[in-house]
Structures are given as C-alpha cells and as structure tokens.
C-alpha cells in the first residue's frame, strides 16, 4: 500500500514537472470600474426603485499558461458591488446608497487566440467572495421629527413637507441572522492583450460577475432573493515570471 | 458551446424571483386569499420582527391548511376564522396592533388590550381606568385654585371616529401649573378648548416667578398627532431635544431596516427655557404619543415621569406608503392597524409591548379616588415642593 502511494506521488511530481517545464507563470496588477445591480423583486413596494451603483475593483492577476491557447487565471481582488434604492413621486428625496466591499477570488479558464503579440481572450470561471464591508448613505423620512404643518396655507408638495429627512452616512451593521456574507457565482470576460518581447503583457477586459447565492441567509418563508450582477471593465498588466526569473520560482 | 452551457448551468443555480404582491392587492374573496394576503402582508410589512417572538413561519404552516377549509359565506366558519386570527396574533409585541373586520360588524382583535385587562390580577387594588370625572370634577374641585380653573371640551376625530376631547388647566396651591388633555389633538381644538390651551401656553411663555413646577397629565390619554409633541414640549425648551430613535422598514425582508433616526423635539417659535421641575403624569392607559411625551419630558434635566408603566405602544403610525411598512387592508374584510416604525430610547431600550416605566412609581387606588384623593397627583405635588 505504501509502495503504491509512493509511486503515485512520483508520477504526479513527474507529470507536474513536465507541464511546468513548458508552462508560463505571470503575475500582475489590474484596476477596474464597474456597475452593479441588485437582482431582486420589490414590485409590491410603492414608489420604490432599485438602481445600479458604480464601484471600483483592484486585483492581482496570476496566470498560468498551460498551452498557447489555454491558461488558468486567478485574480484575488477587492471589488465593490454597490447599488441604490430611491423613492419616487411624492417621496422624492428618500434614498439609500449601499457601498459593499467584497474580497473575491475568481478562478478562470482563459481561452486565447490571435497573433504572437496582440491576442484576444475569453475568460470563463467561478468565484468565491466574502462580503467584507458595507456602508449606507442616504436620507429617510424621520417619523419622530415632523414638520410643523400648523401654519401651512397650502398642502405639502412632498413627504418632506410633512416629515423632516434624516441624512445619514454610516457603517452598515451586518446581521448574523439575515446577511449571507459568503457569495459564489460565475464569471465571464472578454478582452484583448498585448505582449512585449520582454515578457510584459498589457490587457483590457470587460467582465460580468453574477452571483448564484442569495445575499441573505434563508431566514424566512417567502423570502425574495437578492443577487449581485456586476458589469465591469478592467485594465492591467502582467509580467512573465518565467522570462524574468527562468524556471526557478 | 462550453461557455454557453456553463452560463446556463450557473444561471439555473439562482432561486426563482417569486411574485410579491401588495397585501391590499388581494381580493379577499375567499379565506385562502385572505390568509395569503394577511400572512404575506405581515411577513413584509410588520415592523417588529427583530424583537417579536412569534414564529411567523410556523403560523403559515399551521393555519394555511385550516383557512383553506373555511367558507367565507358560512357564519360558523367566520367565527372559526376570528378565533384563528386571535390565536395567530396573540403574542405580537406591537401594542397598537388591532385587527378590524368591517364585514363582521366591526369586530376587533387587540392582543395588547387582551393582555392589559389582566392587570387587576397583578395589582388588585388598582383602578383599571381612571374615570373621566377624575379630570373634569375631582381635580378641578379638590386641587385647582378656583380662580385659575379653565376647562372645556370639543369633539375631535381620529380615523373618522368622533371622540370627546377635554382640556383642563389651572394652578395648584398657586405655585404649580397644571395641564390635562384627553387626546393629542391640539390642531383640532375648537371654541371650547382653544381658550384653555391658550391660557396654559400664555402662562408658559411668561412664567410667573410664583410658579415652582409644572404638571402635564397624560393619564388615560390614547395618543394622537405627533406634531403636538413639538407644540407642547417644544414650547418649554429653546434647544432641540433628542429623546430616542426610530427606524422603519426599507425592504420586503423581515429584518430590512433603515438606520435609527434621532427622535427630536423642535423648539417652537417664541419658546422659553423652562427650568422649574416639569412632571408628567402617565399610567398604563397612556398610549402612543402619551408614552412618547412621558419619555421625552423625562429626558429633560428638569423632567420627571411619575405614575405607572405605560401601555407599550411606542411605534409611530403612518399610511403604508410612507414607510413601506405598517398598516394595510384586505378588501372589505379586514384592516390591520400596526405601527410603521419602531422606537427605542436614548439608552437603546425598546419598550414596545412592555411599556415605559416611570421614574417614580405611584399608583391610584379605588379607595383614594372614592375619598376625593388623587394619589399620583399628590406624588407630583410632593416632588415639586421638595425641589
């Protein structure tokens, strides 16, 4: 039994070594901007609409080229997935912007095509993320701070004419009952890259990130799920560590 | 092809976005529809799920099949439905909570009221409800200086229902300014009550040096208009007073809440800074704005709440559309009266369903009342005289 195990480990090591001998390993930095939308249903809430939010992302792409046309890429990153909710009509002025920070690890297969230097690529993969931070900024009707309407000579034009707004900008307190801070989803991207002779690769990529886990724990019957859908564009560069350091890394 | 299959596969991992209907969109034409509307309306709009111990998921699994067997056109089944509604809501913490069944003769279910009527078992010598004669006869006759007495009554309306609104003011022992009003309905004051209120507020505006204290009496007061808090307490302060916080729903989830917003009393134009002791008298039938007022006055450095623990209905009310939460109706069968916001005190305590405890406990007794004595007012007078 022990002999079999040793043989298996030996074969695995030889296999990995032989792939590694012709593989390229690249490391870099990418910056991006995105639009996130909360995919949910609030059709029963009057004068209420969810809107997309703008965010940023920063990541460290790690690319392992196995074949000329196929690589594995992982990009540990920090990504914002923001959105807002606004009241309309008579309730105009009531809103909340949610700024959410995720620590995210996408693992993608990269299919590339084209010439030696200028190449196109498609990324397909999955990701896991941790909802690390959240902030809420907005204005709400303050039930116990009414506007004194006793001296009104005409009716109020909006709800803020009846009740003062409370403006806030504060850290969101996560609920251990409600909030699901682990998020998993799929990721697709398409982009082009340019690789220099010295092993420097620059790229621009459009990426869609969609969660398939609810932002909430399953804590109530007839719960309406909430999913993040994020469309982003990133620019980045990578350095071919093989060319820089040879195969000693 | 692989990409397409991957996207298809991962997309299908999402749960279906179910249709969410407003509770008031249901027809209420059969009990199945009524139950779905009621349960979902409560599920999405009830504001106290973060503190309520009622297991609403269990309510669904238990009562959905029971309602499914009921016939809306059968009077016996309607009685069964009423008993189900009573049981489903018995433990709800919202003490404003009232179910009204217009098509069943206006039958009402009030879980908090059902709990309160047991108060005699706790304090056997208490008077459950102070008679109106306490404020219109006993206090004016036995306590208020005759030359200073002013009182009057008008009819006011709450949610379309007429109510007799009484205001009494005057001085006690020539050194305590007293005000009683039966409801928070200042804006509806009529020919008989406006002069009484004017007398009180004019005295406040130029408080004689002989006045050593003020008593605001909200015992048995069922609450009313929020703006009256500013008008009353805001006439006695010159800086905004933060006395607690409120929050409301901001989504369909039971725990979707706005941040806590400060509850503020705003000084009124021409307000003066009253520095003499202000005592608020409240009891277990002081509800809603009466309780909030007791707490606000008790927050003042010179304020003191004397009496017994209040009713426990602290959440402000507004139509559903304002806060996407609170009251709703199901056709002509049922209307659900419930708070649209929840309230907590400055030190983070939520008194909903419990009542606000007094700073100084003082209870009435039938024996005292029958002998022409107001024990709680006596405690207030003693307190002011000792300061």
């Amino acid at each position: 039994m022990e002999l079999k195990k040793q043989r298996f480990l030996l074969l695995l090591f030889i296999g990995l070594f032989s792939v590694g001998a012709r593989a390229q390993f690249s490391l870099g930095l990418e910056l991006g901007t995105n639009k996130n939308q909360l995919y949910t249903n609030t059709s029963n809430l009057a004068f209420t609409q969810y809107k997309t939010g703008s965010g940023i992302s920063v990541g460290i792409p790690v690319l392992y080229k196995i074949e000329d046309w196929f690589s594995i890429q992982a990009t540990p990153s920090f990504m914002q997935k923001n959105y807002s909710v606004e009241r309309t009509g008579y309730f105009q002025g009531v809103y909340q912007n949610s700024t959410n920070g995720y620590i995210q690890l996408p693992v993608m297969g990269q299919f590339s095509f084209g010439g030696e230097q200028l190449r196109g690529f498609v990324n397909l993969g999955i990701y896991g993320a941790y909802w690390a931070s959240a902030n809420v900024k907005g204005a709400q009707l303050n039930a116990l701070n009414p506007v004194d309407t006793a001296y009104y000579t005409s009716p109020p034009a909006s709800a803020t004419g009846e009740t003062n707004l409370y403006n806030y900008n504060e850290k969101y307190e996560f609920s251990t009952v409600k909030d699901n801070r682990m998020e998993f989803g799929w990721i697709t991207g398409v982009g082009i890259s340019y690789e220099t002779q010295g092993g420097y690769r620059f790229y621009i990529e459009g990426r869609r990130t969609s969660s398939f886990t609810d932002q909430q724990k399953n804590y109530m019957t007839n719960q309406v799920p909430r999913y993040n859908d994020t469309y982003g564009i990133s620019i980045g560069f990578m350095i071919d560590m093989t060319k820089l350091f040879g195969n000693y890394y | 092809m692989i990409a397409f299959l991957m996207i298809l596969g991962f997309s299908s991992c999402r749960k279906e976005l179910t249709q969410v209907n407003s509770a008031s969109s249901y027809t209420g034409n059969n009990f199945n529809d009524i139950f779905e509307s009621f349960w979902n309306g409560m599920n999405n709009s009830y504001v106290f799920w973060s503190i309520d111990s009622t297991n609403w998921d269990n309510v669904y699994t238990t009562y959905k099949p029971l309602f499914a067997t009921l016939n809306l056109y059968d009077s016996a089944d309607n009685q069964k439905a009423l008993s189900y509604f009573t049981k489903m809501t018995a433990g709800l913490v919202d003490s404003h909570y009232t179910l009204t069944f217009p098509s069943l003769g206006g039958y009402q279910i009030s879980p908090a009221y059902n709990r309160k009527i047991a108060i005699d078992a706790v304090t056997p010598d208490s008077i459950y409800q102070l008679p109106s004669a306490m404020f219109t006869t006993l206090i004016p006759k036995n306590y208020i200086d005759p030359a200073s007495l002013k009182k009057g009554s008008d009819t006011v309306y709450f949610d379309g229902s007429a109510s007799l609104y009484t205001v009494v003011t005057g001085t006690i022992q020539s050194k305590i300014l007293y005000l009683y009003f039966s409801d928070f309905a200042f804006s509806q004051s009529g020919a008989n009550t406006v002069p009484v209120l004017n007398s009180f507020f004019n005295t406040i505006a130029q408080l004689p040096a002989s006045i050593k204290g003020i008593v605001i009496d909200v015992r048995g007061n069922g609450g009313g208009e929020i703006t009256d808090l500013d008008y009353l307490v805001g006439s006695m302060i010159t800086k905004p007073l933060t006395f607690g916080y409120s929050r409301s729903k901001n989504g369909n989830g039971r725990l979707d809440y706005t941040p806590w917003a400060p509850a503020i009393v705003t000084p009124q134009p021409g307000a003066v800074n009253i520095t003499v002791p202000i005592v608020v008298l409240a009891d277990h039938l002081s509800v809603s704005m009466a309780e909030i007022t007791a707490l606000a006055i008790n927050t003042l450095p010179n304020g003191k709440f004397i009496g017994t623990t209040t009713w426990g209905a602290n959440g402000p009310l507004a139509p559903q559309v304002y806060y996407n939460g609170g009251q709703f109706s199901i056709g002509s069968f049922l209307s659900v009266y419930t708070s649209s916001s929840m309230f907590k005190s400055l030190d983070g305590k939520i008194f909903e369903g419990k009542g606000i405890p007094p700073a100084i406990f003082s209870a009435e007794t039938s024996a005292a009342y029958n002998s022409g004595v107001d024990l709680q007012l006596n405690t207030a007078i003693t307190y002011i005289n000792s300061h």
Side-chain angles (χ1 to χ4, degrees):
Chain A
M1 190 67 186
E2 189 61 25
L3 189 64
K4 277 186 180 177
K5 189 178 172 185
Q6 284 177 358
R7 278 182 184 169
F8 172 75
L9 287 174
L10 182 64
L11 285 170
L12 185 66
F13 176 76
I14 292 168
L16 283 175
F17 182 79
S18 59
V19 171
R22 63 174 187 274
Q24 286 180 359
F25 172 72
S26 302
L27 189 66
L29 180 71
E30 73 171 37
L31 299 170
T33 179
N34 66 53
K35 286 273 189 187
N36 182 70
Q37 172 182 322
L38 198 68
Y39 181 68
T40 186
N41 185 0
T42 55
S43 55
N44 62 318
L45 302 180
F47 302 101
T48 304
Q49 61 182 15
Y50 275 86
K51 290 196 159 182
T52 57
S54 300
I56 58 163
S57 63
V58 56
I60 301 171
V62 180
L63 187 119
Y64 194 73
K65 185 192 274 187
I66 295 169
E67 296 291 346
D68 213 29
W69 57 274
F70 181 69
S71 308
I72 299 288
Q73 183 178 335
T75 309
S77 50
F78 172 80
M79 189 172 183
Q80 287 184 327
K81 300 183 182 185
N82 305 334
Y83 61 87
S84 63
V85 58
E86 292 181 4
R87 303 293 307 273
T88 59
Y90 188 72
F91 304 96
Q92 195 95 38
V94 176
Y95 76 99
Q96 179 169 292
N97 295 337
S98 297
T99 304
N100 303 302
Y102 285 79
I103 306 292
Q104 188 158 297
L105 180 63
V107 179
M108 301 167 284
Q110 184 171 100
F111 303 88
S112 63
F113 50 87
E116 280 287 307
Q117 291 186 300
L118 188 64
R119 294 180 69 82
F121 63 88
V122 172
N123 275 330
L124 289 172
I126 57 172
Y127 73 89
Y130 177 68
W131 189 3
S133 63
N135 189 80
V136 287
K137 179 184 180 186
Q140 68 183 69
L141 294 174
N142 190 350
L144 286 172
N145 188 13
V147 174
D148 190 350
T149 55
Y151 311 109
Y152 271 29
T153 53
S154 59
S158 70
T160 56
E162 297 180 64
T163 305
N164 287 304
L165 287 177
Y166 169 57
N167 293 290
Y168 55 92
N169 184 2
E170 61 187 55
K171 191 177 170 185
Y172 172 76
E173 295 291 332
F174 286 104
S175 162
T176 54
V177 178
K178 183 185 83 164
D179 295 316
N180 177 17
R181 299 181 71 176
M182 291 306 299
E183 182 177 285
F184 297 93
W186 57 270
I187 194 163
T188 56
V190 59
I192 53 172
S193 66
Y194 180 81
E195 190 166 340
T196 67
Q197 296 291 346
Y200 291 92
R201 183 183 180 221
F202 298 90
Y203 65 91
I204 182 166
E205 181 185 358
R207 197 176 279 174
R208 181 184 177 191
T209 308
S210 291
S211 69
F212 51 68
T213 50
D214 190 349
Q215 212 181 39
Q216 308 154 101
K217 291 176 180 172
N218 187 17
Y219 79 99
M220 59 181 270
T221 302
N222 282 6
Q223 182 169 299
V224 183
R226 295 173 187 160
Y227 300 106
N228 281 313
D229 265 339
T230 315
Y231 296 85
I233 186 159
S234 304
I235 55 170
F237 73 92
M238 279 190 263
I239 305 168
D240 184 345
M241 306 304 278
T242 324
K243 284 189 179 170
L244 214 58
F245 300 110
N247 274 328
Y248 297 109
Y249 55 86
Chain B
M1 186 62 182
I2 293 170
F4 176 75
L5 288 173
M6 280 180 74
I7 291 168
L8 198 68
F10 289 140
S11 297
S12 64
C13 294
R14 285 186 171 180
K15 293 177 209 162
E16 191 182 344
L17 285 188
T18 48
Q19 176 75 29
V20 190
N21 297 306
S22 166
S24 54
S25 298
Y26 288 78
T27 63
N29 281 348
N30 60 60
F31 272 121
N32 205 39
D33 200 55
I34 287 166
F35 176 78
E36 280 290 333
S37 169
F38 173 70
W39 190 90
N40 281 302
M42 289 292 294
N43 202 35
N44 300 141
S45 300
Y46 185 64
V47 78
F48 295 108
W49 287 130
S50 63
I51 58 166
D52 204 300
S53 60
T54 303
N55 188 328
W56 203 240
D57 292 334
N58 275 357
V59 166
Y60 190 85
T61 52
T62 304
Y63 288 93
K64 183 172 171 55
L66 296 176
F67 273 92
T69 64
L70 301 182
N71 178 356
L72 190 61
Y73 298 155
D74 185 314
S75 58
D77 279 1
N78 277 288
Q79 291 307 308
K80 271 189 192 171
L82 291 179
S83 73
Y84 295 158
F85 276 111
T86 303
K87 287 174 190 165
M88 284 191 291
T89 59
L92 292 176
V93 73
D94 179 7
S95 295
H96 278 111
Y97 195 86
T98 307
L99 300 180
T100 305
F101 300 84
S103 59
L104 298 178
Y107 187 85
Q108 289 194 320
I109 296 170
S110 169
Y113 176 76
N114 293 339
R115 290 192 289 264
K116 291 292 177 185
I117 55 175
I119 196 161
D120 279 345
V122 181
T123 49
D125 194 33
S126 70
I127 304 175
Y128 176 70
Q129 184 168 18
L130 296 178
S132 60
M134 169 74 98
F135 308 104
T136 56
T137 307
L138 190 151
I139 291 173
K141 187 178 164 194
N142 297 352
Y143 285 89
I144 295 181
D145 305 319
S148 68
L149 175 65
K150 288 188 174 54
K151 64 176 182 176
S153 295
D154 284 310
T155 300
V156 295
Y157 296 88
F158 291 107
D159 297 323
S161 300
S163 173
L164 186 66
Y165 165 62
T166 300
V167 185
V168 178
T169 191
T171 57
I172 297 171
Q173 298 172 0
S174 300
K175 59 184 176 184
I176 295 170
L177 182 62
Y178 174 85
L179 174 70
Y180 163 80
F181 51 102
S182 57
D183 301 279
F184 281 77
F186 292 171
S187 68
Q188 298 185 55
S189 298
N192 299 316
T193 49
V194 163
V196 186
L197 285 171
N198 282 346
S199 170
F200 173 79
F201 285 109
N202 289 339
T203 308
I204 288 287
Q206 291 181 313
L207 197 68
S210 57
I211 298 297
K212 303 300 180 194
I214 297 168
V215 174
I216 308 290
D217 194 342
V218 294
R219 289 175 293 173
N221 188 315
E225 296 161 4
I226 290 175
T227 48
D228 286 3
L229 179 63
D230 275 352
Y231 199 66
L232 176 64
V233 181
S235 296
M236 298 189 280
I237 55 173
T238 50
K239 290 179 184 169
L241 170 72
T242 298
F243 62 94
Y245 305 91
S246 72
R247 71 175 181 182
S248 52
K249 295 289 301 292
N250 68 355
N252 277 320
R254 287 184 200 153
L255 300 180
D256 290 341
Y257 289 110
T258 64
W260 290 98
I264 298 168
V265 178
T266 305
Q268 295 298 288
V272 291
N273 185 29
I274 298 294
T275 55
V276 298
I278 303 171
V279 170
V280 58
L281 289 178
D283 63 8
H284 70 275
L285 289 179
S286 299
V287 186
S288 193
M289 279 311 299
E291 303 175 79
I292 294 288
T293 299
L295 186 68
I297 290 176
N298 200 54
T299 307
L300 290 168
N302 55 329
K304 194 65 73 179
F305 167 21
I306 292 174
T308 56
T309 299
T310 61
W311 179 272
N314 305 152
L317 291 107
Q320 244 262 350
V321 68
Y322 279 74
Y323 297 95
N324 276 328
Q327 48 198 309
F328 59 93
S329 296
I330 304 165
S332 59
F333 183 79
L334 170 62
S335 73
V336 180
Y337 186 74
T338 180
S339 298
S340 47
S341 303
M342 63 192 295
F343 174 82
K344 72 174 180 181
S345 63
L346 278 181
D347 57 359
K349 289 179 182 159
I350 297 174
F351 297 112
E352 190 69 37
K354 301 173 189 165
I356 297 167
I360 298 174
F361 179 82
S362 178
E364 291 296 348
T365 65
S366 300
Y369 173 75
N370 291 333
S371 62
V373 172
D374 181 342
L375 290 175
Q376 291 171 323
L377 185 53
N378 282 354
T379 307
I381 293 167
T382 303
Y383 175 79
I384 289 170
N385 284 336
S386 67
H387 282 74

